[in-house]
């Protein structure tokens, strides 16, 4: 989305900021689950994203003998956001991000600590524990969390630079199941709020933005599409449309008709 949105003759600044970094795209995409790294790079380019998440435990970042993500997703072009996907304890998550910082110097990271299958719901007790340790280490932490306004506020008060409530379970494609609580989190937050997990199609991404989210993060919705590159384009457009709708301010809902043209008119000349 262009950083300057023209409306009523005025320029509106519409970038967003996290941890002192400013971005124009409000779409963040993952780098996993594609059929190969070539498709990964093509889909990410089509998405227009500026931030990409990297599962430190699953993606090759340092072995030059194996295919490397950096060869297809240029770290000079994109901001890498290391995450703790696949971590089920606070200790494992903290260890993973410490290793990521040693390997790539990354300080802005995404924390997620998962509960057991089949739902992989955020383990908030372990998440609080891991966040406390990471903040003591000087990390700037974006935190994946439950769609709970109280938990989200506590993360913010602890020092999280962004909160990322799930829309639905990871990889489910169910869309935003609890828009009321997502909106409550947004209304009470002083840090960026991003819907993370559960997006399945473009309308889900648009809804996240219409609710007032600062950005939306997704991986499976693009990578598991029949045509990931085309879906990436759709998601780019959906995020932009949802943001514009939020800025425009939707019409109020009402329970009776309100016709755009008068129902009764006099005859011309009378």
């Amino acid at each position: 989305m262009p950083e300057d949105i023209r409306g009523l003759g005025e320029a509106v600044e519409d970038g967003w900021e996290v941890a002192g970094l400013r971005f124009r795209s409000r779409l963040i995409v993952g780098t996993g689950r594609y059929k190969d790294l070539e498709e990964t790079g093509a889909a990410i380019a089509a998405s227009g994203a500026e931030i990409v998440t990297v599962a430190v435990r699953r993606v090759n970042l340092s072995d030059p003998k194996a295919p490397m993500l950096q060869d297809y997703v240029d770290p000079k072009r994109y901001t890498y956001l290391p995450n703790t996907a696949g971590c089920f304890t606070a200790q494992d998550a903290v260890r993973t991000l410490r290793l990521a910082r040693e390997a790539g110097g990354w300080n802005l990271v995404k924390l997620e600590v998962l509960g057991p299958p089949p739902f992989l719901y955020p383990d908030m007790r372990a998440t609080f524990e891991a966040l406390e340790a990471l903040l003591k280490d000087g990390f700037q932490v974006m935190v994946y969390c439950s769609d709970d306004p109280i938990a989200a506020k506590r993360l913010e008060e602890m020092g999280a630079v962004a909160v990322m409530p799930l829309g639905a379970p990871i990889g489910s494609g169910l869309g935003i199941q609890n828009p009321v609580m997502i909106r409550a989190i947004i209304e009470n937050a002083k840090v960026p709020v991003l819907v993370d997990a559960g997006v399945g199609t473009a309308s889900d991404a648009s809804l996240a933005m219409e609710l007032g989210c600062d950005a939306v993060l997704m991986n499976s919705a693009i990578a598991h599409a029949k045509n990931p590159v085309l879906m990436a384009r759709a998601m780019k457009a959906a995020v932009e449309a949802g943001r514009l709708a939020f800025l425009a301010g939707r019409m109020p809902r009402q329970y009776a008709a309100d016709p755009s043209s008068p129902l009764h008119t006099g005859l011309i000349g009378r």
Side-chain angles (χ1 to χ4, degrees), residues 90-125:
Q91 295 77 14
D92 199 12
V94 171
R95 185 184 311 113
T96 297
L97 290 177
R98 285 172 177 166
L99 290 172
R101 183 157 66 181
E102 290 180 11
W106 295 291
N107 203 53
L108 177 63
V109 297
K110 177 195 166 187
L111 170 65
E112 60 181 73
V113 186
L114 304 178
F119 300 111
L120 302 177
Y121 203 76
D123 182 335
M124 292 312 301
R125 181 175 180 178

Side-chain angles (χ1 to χ4, degrees), residues 4 19 46 130 194 213 228 233:
D4 286 340
L194 298 79
C213 286
R233 289 176 57 193

